Amino acid sequence: MATVTADTAHQTPKTPRKRSRYKGLNHLSGVDRIVVSLMVGVPTFLVVALVWFPAVGSVLLSFTNWNGIGSPSRAKWLGLTNYQNVVTNYPPFWPALQHNLIWLVVMFVIATPLGMLLAVLLDQELKGGRIYQTAFYLPVVLSLALIGFIWQLMYSKDQGLINAVTGSTIDWYGDQSYNLGAALVATSWRQVGYVMLLYLAGLKGVDPTLREAAKVDGASETTTFFRVIFPVMRPINVIVLVVTVIESLRAFDLVWVINKGRNGLELISTLVTQNIVGEASRIGFGSALATFMLLISSAFIVVYLRIIMREER
Amino acid sequence: MSRPSTEAEYLARLVPASTAALSRRNLLRGAVGATSMLAIPSLLAACGGSSSTTSPGATANTSGATGTVTLGSNQSDAVPKAAVQSVMDAFGKANSGLSVKINTIDHNSFQENINNYLQGTPDDVFSWFSGYRMRFFASQGLAGDISDVWAAKTDMTDALKIASTGDDGKQYFMPSTYYPWGVFYRKSVFSSKGYTVPKTMDELVTLSKQMQKDGLSPIAFGDKDGWPAMGTFDQINMRVNGFDYHVSLMAGKEDWSGDKVKKVFDTWRGLLPYHQSDSLGRTWQEAAQSLQQKKSGMYVLGAFVAQQFTKGAEQDDLDFFTFPEIDSNIGADAIEAPIDGYMLSASPKNEAGAKKLLGYLGGADAQNLAVKADPSVIATSGAADTGAYTALQKKSAEFVKSAKNIAQFMDRDTRPDFASTVMIPAIQSFIKAPTEIDSLVAGIQKQKLSIFSS
Amino acid sequence: MTTATSAPVDAARERPTRVVAKAARPRRVGRVLLYTFLTVMALIWLFPVVFAVISSFRSYAYTAQNGYISFGGFTFSNYVNAWQQANFGHTLINSLIITVPAVVLTLFLSSCIAFVVARFTFKFNLALLGLFTAANLLPPQALLIPVFRMFKAITVPLWFSDSGTLLNSYWGLIAVNVAFQTGFCAFVLSNYMKALPRELYESAVIDGAGVLRQFFQLTLPLCRPPLAALATLEVTWIYNEFFWATVLLSQGDKYPITSSLNNLRGQFFTDNNLVAAGSVVVALPTLIVFFVLQKQFVSGLTLGATKG
């Protein structure tokens, strides 16, 4: 960790107290250096070895026609052929991209704000607050098998509750003009509880004295929230924002359990899975799809890091 | 080459020339039953003369086999799991010194991970399917040669032997059970309404119209999961273009954008008005329920449709017929009957024991237990006890025996990557927009070229 | 956040709380609206689950014949059958063997990285944060084949894994789970830790506290709400995780509890009511964890001495 250069210049000690001399927050003793190195080193090693190293492997495989059997050296180097096929010769690709974007917008505009709202409301001292929290969190806990069953009960054309109650004959899962919407309702149902939980934890970190001070100053609850609490909540807002982006780009399991991401429910992740997992084993082609996903994701990462950077200056 | 007249001949064509020439000669004698017994000696001789490494008259050297054999089984739900257990117990009893350790993995995970499973630490013996699916792993060196086990087998038809043969002419697969696809219906519905089984396409359409008048959906249909409609495509293709063409199309040798494939979709389009509508949101079980509830008249599916029906009277009410003839020059004697069975992994820890087990699994004792547990399948062994069969099983056995050509199923006869990533979306978009056939088949052909060339 | 100004909050707006007496009535109206809104929402949220749970108490033969919108066919046998067929006792232990170490390690390692990133201004901080955050965005399916190959190639002593490689070993699976979840947790925790008042650390340093003490005695206790929330989420995710487990473990009897649900499905036919009954049983442990940890993240912290 030789690169760890304690950057003490701008730290000016306030009032030097007795005993140890204050050398600034970033000053590290010998033992501390080892401790910090370990704290950084171990998790970094794990993530690099098990996430980034395979990711590079995946990108490399995307230039080949490897079928996943035997040594990858048996595969032929195809250059950009897989990418070309994805873009020009793979009907589900463009719809999938479009669906991912719709997904992102709906999560961003509906599910996430609703989760935040519920967290804010539940953050007050309420009777039965825990019961409400449990109700909203419940969908997050359930296994995929049950989620699939639950929404099949709701949406089935012949036997579903929605059609039985409203008398409509809409084919919720089969008709392309409805099934993405149906899947989005189901996924929002789960996302709300998740966002609520993260936000609740964040709200608890807000110094309660801030609120009291605002109260004493005569601010209303709404004003207090927007003028005092919300700005202090900036870190958690960023978290929820990034989580929303991540979840939308990685969205997978709900459409998978509905119809394996076909017929109007294509998402990039389901296309990757269809090509890589299972007997199909179009590793090269699937990896090319995954690389597209990686590229789109990195755009968001760059935006996020730029925000952070601006903040730290 | 003329159209093959039997399943055996078709299967023989899938075998490379070196071995195929010999086998086909024998196989022409007939695919079923006692004839196969006659064919065995000559086949053995043939094997000896071929380039394969099987020594003449070789039998599996399993007499001294002891120890534990591991078995990877995808039979994870209660009834079949218990059946597998009872088969293995019976095997242990019949062979002192040998025992089987079963590694049960649920069906879905097993299938999705088969590539990794076989390249990781596979069990000595594992359950799998025939068709391209089997030949693929054999040719990749991920399965063990069991020609010597086959050499000692006398109760399987040659057709089954060919269906167990890899591209190199050696056997890699031991059939256990199979089940036919057909058009299923409830006898009580047909008799109460006075319907008769349609023999031709015209009769099918007439019957469908009558059913619509009677307030029934003529043909139950559910394709939410993507694969059931493949069966309909296969059936129509075999009736319109013949078995030979079907096989060649599945092998990627034909032009998907040609007139023949267009004609299949055209014919299907003519039938679509009689299919249950909104099929893309319906699972096969929901479609089967409409047959069960007597809301639909017929259902093109595999015999596993029986699992949706209550055992006993309700299952006995279930019957089926072959998909009707469309072209009288082609007839209606080509069917689909996927075979399930077992394979040997590439480097088994207990090879002698594993081969002994495979021989046992291909025999009557093991299969009697298997077909008893699942009444929608029938045994492949000619020595199996058919006396205890249910009405449906008897019908299935009859049906398979009378068929001239037997295909497996689209996702077993063609490359799985083509079947799942190209054909499922393509057939689904056909169902959505049945008039846009030209652009659809052009798209399939383009993707086929890129997949089969890789 | 425009939706945040919903009815219940609006009602209390522009009422100076200083004048307590006058505010009392509208506040009560606000409260009623608030409770009504929450109750309606909660019922909407609960309804599908309740409906599914009720269906899990009905026989498949009955619902197949009459549909789910019917009344009758009630039975407890789905639960009895699911319990007998799915081998829950065994697979639950497998799930614990995987989930407990994975969650503990994930939270610990991500706290470490988050602490360093939030607490020190190193030049590589940003890169580090990017490295961990971006790792969340990668689809696990895409990394499947390389990870599988890597694990197959790594040989380990037999006392560590009876397969001799990281494949088919719980530690391999735990490592993958930790690697994939650390990014998210580190990201959440680092944002939270950055919000902790700087003065706390200044006085700690002046008192001579080393990095370890700052971490264990100062930072971690203050991070109880996010740690509890993350623990709840991570338990849910890792416990329900099924994809990596089935790829990396090749023995069915090592599979986690979620996979036992698949044992209730046939090759073609599935008794959905039976699977629903099994799913309800499987969901219970995660619900219990939620109840246990709920107090931790909903009880506010008193950062009394540390006004921002």
Side-chain angles (χ1 to χ4, degrees), chain A:
Chain A
M1 294 297 288
T3 48
V4 180
T5 45
D7 161 25
T8 52
H10 69 281
Q11 299 290 338
T12 41
K14 283 180 184 171
T15 41
R17 294 186 190 176
K18 50 194 167 178
R19 279 189 300 150
S20 67
R21 261 193 319 163
Y22 181 61
K23 291 178 184 168
L25 267 181
N26 274 332
H27 175 75
L28 291 172
S29 69
V31 179
D32 283 351
R33 272 167 194 255
I34 295 170
V35 170
V36 168
S37 315
L38 280 175
M39 287 172 97
V40 174
V42 174
T44 307
F45 169 77
L46 211 59
V47 169
V48 168
L50 292 176
V51 180
W52 289 107
F53 182 66
V56 172
S58 203
V59 171
L60 287 177
L61 286 173
S62 72
F63 298 108
T64 72
N65 70 345
W66 193 45
N67 66 359
I69 289 175
S71 156
S73 58
R74 278 168 58 177
K76 223 169 32 187
W77 188 263
L78 294 181
L80 289 172
T81 313
N82 285 327
Y83 291 88
Q84 199 186 338
N85 275 333
V86 165
V87 177
T88 61
N89 189 18
Y90 191 50
F93 176 70
W94 292 108
L97 210 59
Q98 197 189 345
H99 298 157
N100 268 102
L101 283 178
I102 296 176
W103 206 273
L104 181 65
V105 170
V106 171
M107 289 302 108
F108 202 72
V109 174
I110 298 170
T112 300
L114 189 58
M116 288 172 153
L117 169 68
L118 289 174
V120 171
L121 295 181
L122 288 170
D123 186 42
Q124 311 170 46
E125 296 294 315
L126 288 180
K127 269 183 202 158
R130 291 183 67 174
I131 298 171
Y132 292 120
Q133 283 163 16
T134 310
F136 298 124
Y137 184 70
L138 196 59
V140 184
V141 176
L142 305 177
S143 70
L144 207 51
L146 191 58
I147 303 247
F149 178 63
I150 286 174
W151 290 100
Q152 177 78 12
L153 283 175
M154 295 292 131
Y155 285 131
S156 164
K157 183 197 170 247
D158 307 338
Q159 303 174 355
L161 189 73
I162 295 176
N163 281 0
V165 169
T166 62
S168 79
T169 53
I170 292 170
D171 183 7
W172 292 102
Y173 275 167
D175 189 332
Q176 274 200 30
S177 34
Y178 297 103
N179 61 7
L180 189 65
L184 282 167
V185 168
T187 204
S188 301
W189 177 68
R190 236 178 7 156
Q191 179 83 359
V192 163
Y194 171 36
V195 170
M196 179 199 75
L197 185 77
L198 281 178
Y199 216 69
L200 262 182
L203 282 167
K204 289 306 168 191
V206 176
D207 190 341
T209 51
L210 276 178
R211 218 181 284 242
E212 279 157 32
K215 221 177 219 176
V216 172
D217 290 349
S220 75
E221 283 183 42
T222 318
T223 324
T224 311
F225 180 78
F226 281 108
R227 294 275 165 77
V228 184
I229 311 290
F230 198 72
V232 178
M233 291 293 293
R234 202 172 178 288
I236 195 81
N237 293 339
V238 172
I239 291 175
V240 169
L241 208 90
V242 173
V243 162
T244 304
V245 172
I246 291 173
E247 292 297 311
S248 308
L249 292 178
R250 283 206 314 197
F252 169 75
D253 51 5
L254 213 119
V255 297
W256 192 254
V257 77
I258 293 175
N259 67 359
K260 306 221 160 178
R262 292 179 173 124
N263 179 36
L265 292 184
E266 294 87 355
L267 294 173
I268 304 281
S269 58
T270 66
L271 300 185
V272 172
T273 308
Q274 280 163 18
N275 281 284
I276 287 185
V277 182
E279 288 169 80
S281 238
R282 284 171 92 182
I283 307 291
F285 188 78
S287 298
L289 283 163
T291 307
F292 270 110
M293 206 163 153
L294 203 61
L295 287 175
I296 298 167
S297 307
S298 1
F300 284 94
I301 295 288
V302 169
V303 170
Y304 163 70
L305 288 179
R306 289 195 63 167
I307 295 173
I308 298 286
M309 218 186 309
R310 209 174 301 143
E311 199 167 85
E312 292 199 341
R313 263 170 203 160

Side-chain angles (χ1 to χ4, degrees), chain A residues 4 11 20 26 52 58 68 70 127 130 132-133 137 141 189 197 204-205 221-222 250 273 294 301 304, chain C residues 9 27 35 39 45 120-122 131 136-138 141-142 149 187 192 198 206 240 286 291 294 297-298:
Chain A
V4 180
Q11 299 290 338
S20 67
N26 274 332
W52 289 107
S58 203
K127 269 183 202 158
R130 291 183 67 174
Y132 292 120
Q133 283 163 16
Y137 184 70
V141 176
W189 177 68
L197 185 77
K204 289 306 168 191
E221 283 183 42
T222 318
R250 283 206 314 197
T273 308
L294 203 61
I301 295 288
Y304 163 70
Chain C
V9 186
R27 284 204 93 193
Y35 277 108
T39 307
W45 249 243
F120 301 100
T121 40
F122 293 141
L131 184 91
N136 292 313
L137 285 157
L138 300 173
Q141 296 87 355
R149 290 275 157 167
F187 167 69
Y192 194 90
R198 209 176 167 80
I206 289 161
N240 281 330
T286 39
F291 286 132
Q294 196 176 20
F297 62 77
V298 298

Side-chain angles (χ1 to χ4, degrees), chain B residues 84-98:
Chain B
V84 169
Q85 184 67 53
S86 68
V87 168
M88 299 312 147
D89 290 346
F91 173 73
K93 229 174 252 171
N95 300 277
S96 60
L98 265 177

Side-chain angles (χ1 to χ4, degrees), chain B residues 34-355:
Chain B
T35 11
S36 67
M37 311 279 261
L38 303 172
I40 291 296
S42 51
L43 258 177
L44 282 179
C47 282
S50 75
S51 58
S52 84
T53 54
T54 315
S55 53
T59 48
N61 180 25
T62 55
S63 49
T66 52
T68 307
V69 181
T70 55
L71 169 80
S73 166
N74 61 1
Q75 303 288 312
S76 57
D77 47 330
V79 176
K81 188 179 173 183
V84 169
Q85 184 67 53
S86 68
V87 168
M88 299 312 147
D89 290 346
F91 173 73
K93 229 174 252 171
N95 300 277
S96 60
L98 265 177
S99 63
V100 180
K101 191 168 171 266
I102 307 172
N103 172 22
T104 304
I105 295 170
D106 67 87
H107 199 278
N108 185 42
S109 309
F110 191 83
Q111 201 153 332
E112 293 209 325
N113 293 316
I114 184 72
N115 277 325
N116 293 331
Y117 170 78
L118 291 178
Q119 294 182 79
T121 47
D123 300 290
D124 297 346
V125 176
F126 62 96
S127 48
W128 198 235
F129 318 98
S130 67
Y132 180 93
R133 279 179 164 168
M134 175 274 293
R135 297 200 306 278
F136 176 73
F137 292 118
S139 68
Q140 298 289 334
L142 293 175
D145 175 12
I146 55 167
S147 303
D148 46 355
V149 181
W150 266 95
K153 269 212 107 27
T154 54
D155 57 348
M156 290 265 191
T157 64
D158 295 336
L160 287 167
K161 179 166 186 171
I162 299 300
S164 308
T165 303
D167 296 337
D168 58 359
K170 297 177 198 166
Q171 282 77 46
Y172 291 94
F173 180 75
M174 183 53 70
S176 171
T177 57
Y178 57 167
Y179 59 90
W181 276 64
V183 187
F184 286 79
Y185 65 95
R186 291 194 73 152
K187 283 187 267 194
S188 57
V189 171
F190 269 48
S191 64
S192 72
K193 303 262 163 97
Y195 300 150
T196 51
V197 167
K199 295 258 187 294
T200 63
M201 191 65 162
D202 292 340
E203 286 176 25
L204 180 68
V205 171
T206 316
L207 174 64
S208 297
K209 284 185 174 149
Q210 184 58 43
M211 283 179 173
Q212 278 179 335
K213 262 183 218 154
D214 296 341
L216 291 175
S217 289
I219 303 171
F221 196 34
D223 197 37
K224 181 163 162 255
D225 299 316
W227 55 266
M230 286 178 167
T232 312
F233 178 92
D234 291 350
Q235 302 280 342
I236 298 178
N237 190 30
M238 288 194 293
R239 297 292 174 268
V240 168
N241 296 315
F243 180 74
D244 206 15
Y245 178 83
H246 178 67
V247 169
S248 169
L249 182 70
M250 291 299 121
K253 292 176 188 156
E254 306 287 338
D255 178 9
W256 273 86
S257 56
D259 287 342
K260 290 192 156 187
V261 175
K262 279 187 198 166
K263 199 177 166 203
V264 174
F265 282 116
D266 260 334
T267 313
W268 195 353
R269 187 179 56 191
L271 273 181
L272 270 184
Y274 310 115
H275 283 59
Q276 231 174 342
S277 60
D278 298 326
S279 58
L280 296 180
R282 191 181 293 114
T283 62
W284 80 259
Q285 275 178 268
E286 288 176 292
Q289 278 165 19
S290 76
L291 187 73
Q292 182 194 19
Q293 296 162 5
K294 306 187 179 181
K295 289 178 185 162
S296 304
M298 300 171 276
Y299 194 9
V300 180
L301 207 72
F304 54 83
V305 69
Q307 293 170 357
Q308 179 65 43
F309 288 69
T310 322
K311 270 189 186 172
E314 205 177 64
Q315 268 188 12
D316 287 342
D317 193 34
L318 196 64
D319 203 350
F320 67 98
F321 53 87
T322 190
F323 196 88
E325 177 183 297
I326 294 174
D327 181 340
S328 58
N329 295 319
I330 284 166
D333 46 16
I335 65 158
E336 285 198 317
I339 309 168
D340 295 350
Y342 295 90
M343 291 174 79
L344 180 70
S345 60
S347 44
K349 290 197 180 73
N350 182 355
E351 186 172 344
K355 286 184 169 173

